[in-house]
Amino acid sequence: MLKIIKDDPWLKPYREAIEGRHIAALEKEKNLTENGRLSLSDFASGYMYFGLHKCNNGWVLREWAPNATAVYMTGTFNSWKKDENFRLSQTGNGVWEITLAEESVRHGDLYKLLVEWQGGCGERIPAWCQRVIQDEKTKIFSAQVWNPEKPYCFMAKKFKPNTSPLLIYECHIGMSSQEEKISSCEEFRKNILPRIKKDGYNAMQIMAIQEHPYYGSFGYHVSSFFAVSSRFGTPDELKHLIDEAHRLGIAVIMDIVHSHAVKNEVEGLGRFDGTGYQYFHADSRREHPAWDSLCFNYGKNEVLHFLLSNCQYWLKEYHFDGFRFDGVTSMIYYSHGMGESFNNYGDYYNGHQDGDAITYLILANKLIHEVNPDAITIAEEVSGMPGLACNREKGGYGFDYRMAMNIPDFWIKLLKEKKDEEWHPSSIWWEMINRRRDEKTISYAESHDQALVGDKTLIFRLIDAEMYWHMQRNDPNLKVERGIALHKMIRLVTASTINGGYLNFMGNEFGHPEWIDFPREGNGWSYKYARRQWNLFDDQSLRYHLLGDFDREMIKIISGIKDFQNTEIQKIWDSNADQTLAFMRDNLLFIFNFNPIKSFTGYGFLVPEGKYTVILNTDAVKFGGNGLNDDAVVHFTNYDPLYQKDAKGWLKMYLPARSAFVVKRVNNIDIH
């Protein structure tokens, strides 16, 4: 019996389904690796064979197009004409190939494929190409020959991510500039990396890396899976950015999209060889009902080859430290998770699961950790499928972490539906720790999802339009003060209860105002909301930097305890009537008073005897609070003979309304 089932008796009725997916992955791996003669990494090396490559005799270009009757290479080197000298030949199994003399094409040349099939033809960007650019005037995308004289050479050769705990700064290169434009890798490296380092995050998760025709898709409608979006610069500039991050001790995680692909046919894979089913499903499953995109057919070995090779490519060629897999729920259910309740275990094993997609995810995780044992994989999955972040040997999918997507949903629901006096700490506590014991999660109060147009960030829900007029430090405003107080408390209770890692989206740490809205026809193609206004944080006369300063101190405390995420969480107290909550991790005591109007004098908590000092106070003036406590005061526990055997005493403190503290136990002195 698999360990995942032994550890969770509630899974026993579904043993056949769980063991079935495990066996299916093992069998598929045997099939792909010729019964173990090859490694999975050997199989996933397609990017070294397909696409355009410089070789000893010049150039070689290979593509897979099984339905094609003829394939030509066209480009700036032959005036984009159908030329017999650039006609590819069939080599078998749907593969087309051409070998060219060295002088035939040069670095920087643009090219495409002219693919002919029975009854039609069309221009196509090679599926395996590693460089795509867009003409600024015509907006047309083309593949580009990329062979610089001095390719980038990585300096940081052996980098190992720090995951104790994993503290992720989620970011988007294009919108990282303060200016109303698309920012570049070089600008990000020079201007944003130092901020991430200073703020104490040890990882960054970059969105929208793979080329996508529509900037406003946030990178989710991918067209060229092996190409860095040229909007952000050259491949070498991205490599320099990753290398510099490693030098600073920051891991770089890529948001990888293998859950679907853009429908575009000229730029993407939609009908690459004239058929709609080369990479995708042929029936009603071909199109995603909600995303206006195409769904991969994970049952085809050629598709597995393409996607697994894509994983290895980004790891080896760019030195990414791992991936956040987007849209996992959409992959593993025939329904894409739409309209499903997921109220009990039976909903996970009701026959509505896509076994081919599950097999792919298991193999992808196996491959990634085979290529780099220290790699990080994170699943964005909303249903709560058991075993997702459990290793394959135990019967799981093999992800290292899963996104705790219940937490941001909880905060939104609380802010929308409950009055401040209805916030129950017992509910907050439950949501923060509601997870499977054997699976690590990435906790977060909000990510980019909550900031996209049509939704609101937490700070905007809390303060709304008052942010435009009352964020000056010398401008008292009750709504702003409430928002600032709760913004800090929400983040602190979320970050301090992690069992794996914590994530913050770029700018949200200092309460970046407004939403994210990429340029589109509806907003006049404006970049006003597709940027980050760092000047708001840097302006000491505004209150934004108070939130940013608090976030930095919070991250410093969490990262200051080795393996903080693994320390036991011991609830000390909660009271829905008072709206108070307290818990301990290691030698830190976290105290929250969510009450909007009541402050408490001499509020007692039964904790290990000793001496305690305040190391973080959300109500401190330097963090935008009222400064009602003297944080320099040292606190001692009061002896209680009833708890003498437990070596516990009463720690009594003044708790202002809407405030939270982190109190450190300094030592265990004899105080009785």
Side-chain angles (χ1 to χ4, degrees), residues 453-499:
V453 67
D455 207 340
K456 291 184 178 182
T457 60
L458 286 177
I459 197 70
F460 220 49
R461 290 186 185 279
L462 288 163
I463 303 178
D464 215 345
E466 299 294 306
M467 294 191 74
Y468 296 122
W469 315 108
H470 300 290
M471 285 298 282
Q472 293 82 8
R473 292 192 65 171
N474 60 354
D475 183 6
N477 182 279
L478 291 177
K479 191 169 185 178
V480 171
E481 287 157 14
R482 167 188 176 264
I484 287 177
L486 290 177
H487 191 269
K488 291 176 288 187
M489 295 182 72
I490 287 170
R491 273 168 163 66
L492 181 59
V493 74
T494 302
S496 59
T497 49
I498 60 173
N499 78 327

Side-chain angles (χ1 to χ4, degrees), residues 162-167 202 401 435 440-443 495-502 558-559 561-569 585-586:
N162 176 9
T163 57
S164 59
L166 185 62
L167 302 168
N202 56 28
Y401 304 87
R435 58 210 174 201
K440 294 184 292 185
T441 60
I442 301 296
S443 300
S496 59
T497 49
I498 60 173
N499 78 327
Y502 174 74
I558 291 171
S559 61
I561 295 179
K562 183 174 176 55
D563 293 326
F564 175 85
Q565 75 284 1
N566 293 331
T567 59
E568 181 185 0
I569 307 178
R585 301 195 75 162
D586 197 66

Side-chain angles (χ1 to χ4, degrees), residues 280-289 293-299 330-336 353-357:
F280 311 104
H281 288 287
D283 51 19
S284 60
R285 296 180 60 198
R286 182 174 186 265
E287 295 193 19
H288 196 291
S293 55
L294 303 178
C295 300
F296 285 108
N297 181 353
Y298 305 102
S330 177
M331 296 171 71
I332 62 179
Y333 298 101
Y334 292 130
S335 66
H336 304 293
Q353 293 71 41
D354 186 342
D356 292 331

Side-chain angles (χ1 to χ4, degrees), residues 482-550:
R482 167 188 176 264
I484 287 177
L486 290 177
H487 191 269
K488 291 176 288 187
M489 295 182 72
I490 287 170
R491 273 168 163 66
L492 181 59
V493 74
T494 302
S496 59
T497 49
I498 60 173
N499 78 327
Y502 174 74
L503 177 142
N504 164 72
F505 179 66
M506 177 176 65
N508 285 358
E509 72 278 7
F510 66 83
H512 195 284
E514 301 166 329
W515 52 87
I516 299 170
D517 186 14
F518 284 89
R520 54 188 173 86
E521 187 175 1
N523 64 14
W525 304 103
S526 170
Y527 289 87
K528 182 178 180 181
Y529 298 110
R531 62 187 178 118
R532 296 285 91 175
Q533 299 180 60
W534 303 106
N535 60 302
L536 298 177
F537 171 77
D538 295 335
D539 190 339
Q540 297 293 300
S541 69
L542 300 177
R543 303 196 223 202
Y544 295 97
H545 82 89
L546 304 174
L547 295 174
D549 292 346
F550 172 81

